[in-house]
Amino acid sequence: MLAVMSEKTIALVTGANKGIGYEIAAGLGARGWSVGVGARDERRREDAVAKLRAAGADAFGVPLDVTDGGSVAAAVQLIEERAGRLDVLVNNAGVAGGWPEEPTTIDLETVRRLVETNVIGVIRVTNAMLPLLRRSAHPRIVNQSSHVGSLTLQTTPGVDLGGISGAYAPTKTYLNAVTIQYAKELSGTNILINNACPGYVATDLNGFSGTQTPEQGAAIAIRLATLPDDGPTGQLFDDNGVVPW
């Protein structure tokens, strides 16, 4: 298995059983990559893997709850045994609170839940997968962020980001800040790490109110996952280019 895997790019996409995550996995699989479908729900995960395989992708299921250290460790072991390395990690898994959601009345458990998944989960998975990524010749990390996490856009008069968000938007701001620190630490390595903003995509995260399709939303993450070795690092991108922090 390792001999076969050495000829392919190996990717893991968290939260890949549906929506944007699924389309990222599909896009990478269409490039001939071997793609791990990370997801908590066994049935949805295996259904996604079967659908991807039916479309010709080399997909495999990775049981993964980003909020559980044991689950993440088991995912590392699975990829270690299957491929011996990881070339691309896409931290796509995320949750949203209510919207709009005012900070003066927000439930603190909601804040904790969102930070645990959207920020700590990314750190947990990234740190666990780094030893495998360091074995890659062209390692890439892509974190799923959002325009709503941009402090510049939040404070620009006339920019509408959908109202007050007491938890979700701040978790993306936090994620942006964390990504900058990773980029600084990894600056002497060949690991490129960037954040992707998919745009306003119709998913269950927003009650399918978005104006773009999941396939459209996946495009920027796929582009960042396939950056050349001299590509950028430590930045936030959407389809139009760099988004200000």
Side-chain angles (χ1 to χ4, degrees):
M1 176 66 75
L2 289 178
V4 174
M5 289 295 103
S6 67
E7 302 173 1
K8 288 191 172 188
T9 299
I10 313 299
L12 170 65
V13 183
T14 69
N17 62 292
K18 59 182 178 179
I20 298 171
Y22 175 86
E23 294 299 340
I24 294 171
L28 298 179
R31 285 162 170 74
W33 293 15
S34 181
V35 182
V37 176
R40 293 178 299 177
D41 187 286
E42 181 179 4
R43 181 185 62 78
R44 290 180 178 177
R45 183 179 63 247
E46 295 311 314
D47 284 349
V49 169
K51 185 177 176 182
L52 289 166
R53 287 178 176 171
D58 179 11
F60 60 99
V62 180
L64 182 56
D65 179 349
V66 303
T67 68
D68 184 292
S71 174
V72 173
V76 172
Q77 185 63 30
L78 186 156
I79 295 172
E80 167 81 60
E81 294 174 355
R82 180 181 178 88
R85 72 173 196 283
L86 182 64
D87 299 301
V88 172
L89 170 62
V90 181
N91 286 307
N92 170 76
V95 293
W99 199 293
E101 195 162 42
E102 297 175 343
T104 56
T105 57
I106 196 169
D107 177 9
L108 293 183
E109 287 306 314
T110 296
V111 178
R112 291 189 182 96
R113 178 173 62 87
L114 267 62
V115 171
E116 181 63 43
T117 298
N118 297 352
V119 183
I120 297 174
V122 171
I123 296 172
R124 179 181 289 112
V125 173
T126 299
N127 290 352
M129 295 292 170
L130 268 174
L132 293 176
L133 286 161
R134 292 185 188 278
R135 298 176 192 172
S136 171
H138 312 282
R140 306 288 180 264
I141 302 171
V142 181
N143 297 328
Q144 198 72 280
S145 187
S146 171
H147 289 125
V148 301
S150 167
L151 293 176
T152 298
L153 294 181
Q154 287 183 47
T155 55
T156 299
V159 174
D160 181 11
L161 296 177
I164 297 173
S165 171
Y168 179 74
T171 65
K172 294 305 182 181
T173 305
Y174 191 174
L175 178 61
N176 290 346
V178 167
T179 299
I180 291 171
Q181 302 309 313
Y182 270 112
K184 287 182 177 181
E185 182 179 353
L186 299 172
S187 62
T189 75
N190 61 347
I191 300 175
L192 302 182
I193 179 169
N194 290 287
N195 285 7
C197 175
Y200 191 31
V201 178
T203 69
D204 57 3
L205 202 70
N206 55 39
F208 299 96
S209 62
T211 57
Q212 293 177 276
T213 67
E215 184 176 6
Q216 290 172 321
I220 183 59
I222 293 171
R223 182 162 71 83
L224 294 174
T226 56
L227 285 173
D229 290 341
D230 61 352
T233 192
Q235 297 187 61
L236 170 63
F237 293 89
D238 65 9
D239 289 334
N240 296 316
V242 176
V243 178
W245 296 118

